[in-house]
Amino acid sequence: MPIDDNIKRLLVEAELKNLSAGSVFSIQDISVALSKKQLLSFLSAYLDQGEVSQVIPNIYYKVKFSNLFNPPRALPPDLSKVLAAITRLTGETFQYDGGYCANRLGLSTQVPLYHVLHTNGRSRRFKLAGVDVVLNHTDDQRLLQYPLQKVGMAISALYYLGPNVVDDKIIKAIKDQLSPEEYAKLLSADLPKWIKRLTSDYENWTATCIRL
């Protein structure tokens, strides 16, 4: 038996109440069967009051406020939570751009001015807290391994730096940033031949040094 729209609205409001502030969600995260248009309609009052904001079409943010300000100030949504919500909705995979990864892993001092990510979805961009988020489509599934994880960031950084820059020092720096389990995942990942060769050469060199 179909559920009346008023009951659906009450159920959605109950689920929204139980969401913690700072949560990012979509229709995929609501247990009630409804259309995207219905969800937007049910959330309209919360959107008008500033309790919920729409990050991009069909992705919503239950606003978290900081009490360090008077009056309390709305905090921006966390990018990783936004990407996770998009993944749950569309099935897309995301990976941080190599420039960002190289900086985070201490391999580069260049600080990106905006967020760039690889995706197996369509290319597009949106703003988050006034900063551009650029999603670039890639067909290279190897670049999307271990998405948004440290191992994946290492792969993306290696792609970005390229065979003319990556050397034993870079491999060592990456190894030092990863746990033994993460480094083992990196070595066993599906990687371009030049990365496989450089990591193999490094491991052979360190093994030789240990024996000596």
Side-chain angles (χ1 to χ4, degrees):
M1 180 178 178
I3 302 176
D4 179 81
D5 278 0
N6 289 327
I7 296 176
K8 284 186 177 183
R9 182 187 296 274
L10 291 173
L11 291 171
V12 168
E13 289 178 347
E15 291 195 24
L16 180 63
K17 184 178 180 180
N18 288 330
L19 280 179
S20 59
S23 297
V24 181
F25 64 97
S26 73
I27 192 171
Q28 192 68 29
D29 303 304
I30 304 296
S31 63
V32 185
L34 69 168
S35 68
K36 294 175 181 177
K37 186 176 181 180
Q38 281 179 310
L39 178 59
L40 179 59
S41 173
F42 294 165
L43 293 175
S44 60
Y46 298 93
L47 290 164
D48 291 342
Q49 294 165 13
E51 295 178 31
V52 172
S53 66
Q54 189 173 50
V55 184
I56 57 173
N58 304 315
I59 300 294
Y60 302 94
Y61 167 55
K62 184 174 180 179
V63 180
K64 184 175 184 178
F65 292 88
S66 172
N67 292 320
L68 296 176
F69 303 93
N70 188 18
R73 184 178 299 177
L75 299 174
D78 183 270
L79 176 58
S80 63
K81 291 182 179 180
V82 173
L83 297 173
I86 298 174
T87 294
R88 293 193 299 274
L89 180 64
T90 67
E92 283 180 74
T93 300
F94 300 99
Q95 186 62 274
Y96 292 116
D97 174 73
Y100 170 84
C101 296
N103 178 264
R104 285 294 302 272
L105 293 171
L107 308 175
S108 169
T109 57
Q110 292 184 344
V111 180
L113 298 178
Y114 51 91
H115 304 290
V116 182
L117 296 103
H118 305 288
T119 177
N120 56 355
R122 61 185 177 82
S123 295
R124 59 208 190 272
R125 67 169 58 205
F126 60 92
K127 284 189 179 294
L128 192 65
V131 179
D132 282 328
V133 178
V134 180
L135 307 178
N136 290 326
H137 173 80
T138 180
D139 290 320
D140 191 345
Q141 294 302 309
R142 295 176 299 183
L143 191 53
L144 298 173
Q145 295 174 96
Y146 301 102
L148 307 181
Q149 300 175 44
K150 227 172 180 181
V151 179
M153 290 175 67
I155 294 171
S156 187
L158 288 167
Y159 264 77
Y160 171 78
L161 295 172
N164 294 327
V165 173
V166 176
D167 56 15
D168 287 347
K169 290 182 179 179
I170 296 290
I171 300 297
K172 181 182 185 305
I174 288 175
K175 185 175 183 178
D176 289 345
Q177 289 289 325
L178 304 178
S179 68
E181 293 78 15
E182 289 170 332
Y183 187 64
K185 288 179 180 179
L186 175 64
L187 295 181
S188 63
D190 181 13
L191 300 171
K193 289 181 180 179
W194 69 268
I195 297 179
K196 284 284 191 183
R197 175 178 53 80
L198 287 170
T199 53
S200 177
D201 288 348
Y202 173 77
E203 289 303 306
N204 291 336
W205 176 76
T206 53
T208 301
C209 291
I210 291 172
R211 286 196 299 269
L212 294 176

